[in-house]
């Protein structure tokens, strides 16, 4: 198994298409979905309640953080435990639609971004069919259709079981989120990139954003914050998107620079 740095040295081949890069924008928001835009990570929820449970999941997350295993391999084991217990993909969608809620400030944050012509792109290690199902239950159909999702997919098998289809199966991340950011760096006039994340799946993207927001967690699962602190990556802790909006607005409207915001 390679180190975290080795995982991102070469661009992995993607098995899934990407949406067009927003090449004409001054600002772009890229955000993790699970536990960042939502109040709870849907994959953690499935694993804790339908799969092999929270204790084993947390052991796996800490193994990822310490480099003992890759996110790709541990995440696959998590999801396999859900399918192996007989839970179909459709059942999982319904359970999550009933139990996963939006961050309380996200609607206002999204509508501010829309008013300023700032694209919001979900960059997730989850599976697009599940994300779309939950997102469509939480925002208007128009808003759900407007938001691009860069994620993994899912394979449903003839016997009703299902498994994750990784965007980057050769990467230790399964989905190397840095590959959603790096194309912006080669543009003639690159936009200011805001990235929002919370966990181990966001480590590959953490050092490539102009302004990195790391969500504070009350349950002690602050894995991305721990990684950024260990690696010396500047970041802004935020409790919800309402709090983050104040900083984003200040940068967008010119009352504060990105560097000043990160230095606070």
């Amino acid at each position: 198994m390679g180190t975290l740095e080795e995982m991102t040295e070469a661009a992995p081949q993607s098995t899934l298409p990407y949406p067009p890069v927003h090449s004409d924008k001054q600002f772009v928001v890229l955000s993790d979905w699970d536990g960042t835009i939502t109040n709870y990570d849907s994959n953690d929820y499935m694993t804790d309640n339908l799969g092999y449970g929270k204790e084993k999941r947390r052991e796996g997350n800490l193994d990822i953080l310490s480099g003992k295993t890759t996110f790709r391999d541990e995440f696959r084991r998590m999801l396999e435990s859900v399918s192996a217990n007989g839970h179909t993909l459709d059942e999982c969608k319904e359970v999550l639609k009933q139990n996963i809620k939006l961050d309380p400030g996200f609607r206002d944050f999204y509508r501010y971004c829309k008013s300023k012509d700032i694209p919001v792109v979900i960059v997730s290690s989850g599976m697009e069919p599940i994300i779309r199902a939950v997102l469509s239950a939480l925002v208007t159909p128009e808003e759900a259709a407007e938001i691009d999702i860069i994620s993994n997919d899912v394979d449903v098998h003839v016997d009703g079981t299902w498994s994750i289809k990784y965007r980057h199966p050769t990467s230790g991340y399964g989905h190397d989120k840095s590959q959603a950011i790096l194309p912006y760096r080669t543009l003639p006039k690159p936009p200011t990139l805001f990235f929002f994340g919370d966990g181990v799946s966001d480590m590959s993207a953490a050092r490539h954003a102009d302004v990195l927001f790391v969500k504070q967690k009350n349950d002690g699962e602050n894995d991305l914050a721990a990684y950024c602190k260990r690696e010396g990556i500047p970041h802004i802790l935020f409790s919800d998107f309402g709090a983050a909006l104040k900083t984003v607005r200040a940068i967008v409207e010119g009352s504060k620079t990105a560097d000043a915001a990160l230095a606070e």
Side-chain angles (χ1 to χ4, degrees):
M1 186 199 76
T3 65
L4 295 174
E5 290 75 21
E6 287 168 344
M7 290 180 197
T8 53
E9 278 184 0
Q13 184 175 356
S14 179
T15 62
L16 300 166
Y18 279 91
V21 169
H22 296 282
S23 58
D24 59 341
K25 306 301 182 185
Q26 187 177 358
F27 302 94
V28 175
V29 170
L30 301 108
S31 179
D32 173 55
W33 167 250
D34 283 297
T36 302
I37 292 176
T38 64
N39 68 327
Y40 201 102
D41 187 303
S42 63
N43 305 295
D44 290 354
Y45 188 92
M46 287 192 291
T47 304
D48 294 355
N49 295 281
L50 306 177
Y52 56 41
K54 182 174 182 178
E55 183 177 352
K56 190 169 182 179
R57 174 181 64 78
R58 281 304 295 156
E59 288 175 2
N61 283 356
L62 295 174
D63 284 346
I64 296 166
L65 192 59
S66 68
K68 290 181 181 178
T69 188
T70 63
F71 179 87
R72 175 196 62 206
D73 294 344
E74 193 60 38
F75 193 53
R76 181 186 290 115
R77 284 190 283 268
M78 281 173 50
L79 299 176
E80 283 176 347
S81 77
V82 178
S83 182
N85 280 352
H87 301 289
T88 66
L89 185 67
D90 286 342
E91 178 191 349
C92 291
K93 288 179 184 178
E94 290 307 312
V95 168
L96 295 173
K97 284 162 66 175
Q98 294 169 19
N99 290 281
I100 302 299
K101 308 300 179 188
L102 276 184
D103 174 290
F106 182 74
R107 283 189 183 87
D108 287 343
F109 178 89
Y110 176 75
R111 288 162 189 170
Y112 171 80
C113 289
K114 187 175 179 180
S115 75
K116 295 295 183 180
D117 195 28
I118 301 172
V120 176
V121 182
I122 293 172
V123 185
S124 172
S125 288
M127 297 161 286
E128 183 166 0
I130 285 180
I131 298 169
R132 285 283 178 202
V134 177
L135 178 64
S136 298
L138 296 176
V139 299
T140 68
E142 293 77 16
E143 289 170 338
E146 291 167 351
I147 299 175
D148 286 332
I149 297 175
I150 302 173
S151 67
N152 297 307
D153 207 338
V154 62
D155 287 321
V156 179
H157 310 296
V158 292
D159 62 357
T161 61
W162 53 274
S163 58
I164 190 166
K165 179 180 180 180
Y166 279 122
R167 175 175 290 273
H168 300 129
T170 62
S171 165
Y173 293 107
H175 174 196
D176 182 348
K177 294 184 179 182
S178 70
Q179 300 306 311
I181 296 178
L182 292 174
Y184 287 96
R185 295 299 182 213
T186 63
L187 294 174
K189 294 183 178 180
T192 296
L193 295 175
F194 301 102
F195 187 86
F196 293 79
D198 76 312
V200 289
S201 72
D202 301 308
M203 294 190 299
S204 65
R207 63 179 74 250
H208 299 292
D210 293 301
V211 185
L212 172 64
F213 288 86
V214 177
K215 196 164 195 181
Q216 293 176 303
K217 295 300 183 75
N218 295 325
D219 56 11
E221 296 189 25
N222 289 19
D223 294 332
L224 182 60
Y227 175 74
C228 290
K229 185 175 181 180
R230 188 184 79 197
E231 299 294 320
I233 300 172
H235 60 283
I236 298 170
L237 292 173
F238 76 108
S239 56
D240 59 55
F241 275 89
L245 176 55
K246 297 175 184 177
T247 302
V248 170
R249 181 186 283 119
I251 295 171
V252 168
E253 298 179 9
S255 65
K256 187 179 293 184
T257 66
D259 287 343
L262 287 165
E264 289 183 344

